[in-house]
Each structure stands twice: as C-alpha cells, then as structure tokens.
Amino acid sequence: TRSKLSLALACTWMAGVIIIIASEIFRSAAFKKLIRKSMYLADEKIFMTRYIDGAVTYGILRPKIVVSYLLDLDTRDYVVRHEREHIRHRDNFLKFCYMMVATINWYNPLVWLGKKNLDRVVELCCDRYVVLDFSKKQKSEYSKCLFMLAVGDIMEPMTASGFMGMKSELYNRMKSVQD
C-alpha cells in the first residue's frame, strides 16, 4: 500500500508538471502567432500590434518588445523604455528560471506567492530604472501613464502588464516612481 501511495503521488506530481508545461507552451505559441500578425518597425526591435492593449517583452534569447498601436507617442515612449529595462536586466530569463522551479514545486503555495512577489519586484525595479534621470514633471507624467494603462482597457491577460488588476500594486508603483 505504501508503494501504491508513492506511485499515486508521483503520478499526481507528474500530471501537474505536464499540465503546467503544456499550458505555458500553448500560451507561448498563441502569443507567437499574434506577433507574426504584427507590424515590425525596422529601426528598432519593436513590433506594433492591435492584438494587445499595452506592451510586453516577449522571448528569452532574442527578446522582442510588442506594443499596442493604440498607444499615443508619449505613452509608447514610456512603455518602450520600461520594456527595454526588462531586456537589459534579463527579466524574462529570470522569470523563466523561476517558472521552472515553480513547475517542479507546483504543489507548494509558497512557490506561487514567491512568483507573484518576483513579478511585483521586477516591475517596481523597471519603473525605478526608467525614472532614474527623470525630472519631477517627467516622473509625474510616467505615473500618469501607469495609471492610464491600468484603468483603461489595458487589462488583457496576455499583456503581462504587471498590474495584475490590483489597486495596491498600481499605488505602490506610482509611489515608487515619485520617490
């Protein structure tokens, strides 16, 4: 009976790993398909698309910035700066590594809390680096941009916008930018 229990637990663990990996592969393939339908800006490694609201950095080895064509030029400039910080700091690689750890330990809720915390800290760090040399006025404009992205129709799940729909996260990001 002990070996049956061990086998059942091992099968359950493996099923969880397979489900998580399959869902990540599906999400990645779906997003890659959207990028293929996007317009590439030749002067930069930026893709413009109508399929997302906001911006996201996609890819680990050769990251690309995908930006909604609905954003005005000022907002686009801020979000591209933010996404470039993700690339500069190799945040997608860090998140990929953490996701591997989370996949192996999928049964542990502390791992998923850690992932949520990592996402929050990564966004705060990017915001801080973006505004490092900004004037007070530019910081205010950047905060306003964060607010507008969060309260508009920018809450598509695929954008990975870092807001996660939480008012406290938005407040913390805006406060961090102003400090």
Side-chain angles (χ1 to χ4, degrees), residues 13 17 20 98-112:
W13 174 80
V17 168
I20 292 169
Y98 196 91
M99 190 62 193
M100 291 297 104
V101 170
T103 300
I104 292 167
N105 297 287
W106 63 264
Y107 53 85
N108 186 344
L110 293 177
V111 170
W112 298 105

Side-chain angles (χ1 to χ4, degrees), residues 145-159:
C145 173
L146 289 177
F147 180 76
M148 295 309 291
L149 287 169
V151 299
D153 294 329
I154 311 295
M155 297 309 294
E156 290 292 319
M158 272 208 167
T159 63

Side-chain angles (χ1 to χ4, degrees), residues 28-92:
S28 180
F31 195 75
K32 199 171 194 174
K33 194 174 185 179
L34 290 180
I35 290 176
R36 284 192 206 119
K37 297 177 183 179
S38 303
M39 182 176 74
Y40 178 69
L41 298 180
D43 59 333
E44 300 180 50
K45 221 171 175 141
I46 300 172
F47 290 82
M48 301 291 288
T49 186
R50 64 184 170 108
Y51 297 104
I52 65 169
D53 299 328
V56 65
T57 300
Y58 174 79
I60 298 168
L61 299 177
R62 292 181 306 258
K64 298 159 188 63
I65 298 173
V66 184
V67 181
S68 172
Y69 76 90
L70 299 172
L71 299 177
D72 63 64
L73 288 175
D74 291 335
T75 303
R76 191 180 310 156
D77 179 53
Y78 286 135
V79 298
V80 166
R81 285 179 189 220
H82 179 91
E83 297 306 322
R84 282 189 177 139
E85 288 300 324
H86 282 301
I87 292 170
R88 190 166 73 96
H89 295 272
R90 296 175 180 81
D91 291 337
N92 283 5

Side-chain angles (χ1 to χ4, degrees), residues 105-159:
N105 297 287
W106 63 264
Y107 53 85
N108 186 344
L110 293 177
V111 170
W112 298 105
L113 287 174
K115 183 183 180 311
K116 182 178 176 183
N117 193 45
L118 174 68
D119 291 341
R120 184 182 61 80
V121 168
V122 162
E123 293 302 322
L124 286 170
C125 286
C126 280
D127 290 335
R128 295 293 289 209
Y129 277 105
V130 167
V131 301
L132 203 57
D133 296 323
F134 276 14
S135 68
K136 196 167 187 112
K137 182 182 178 200
Q138 289 172 307
K139 287 179 181 181
S140 177
E141 290 171 1
Y142 185 77
S143 288
K144 199 182 306 181
C145 173
L146 289 177
F147 180 76
M148 295 309 291
L149 287 169
V151 299
D153 294 329
I154 311 295
M155 297 309 294
E156 290 292 319
M158 272 208 167
T159 63

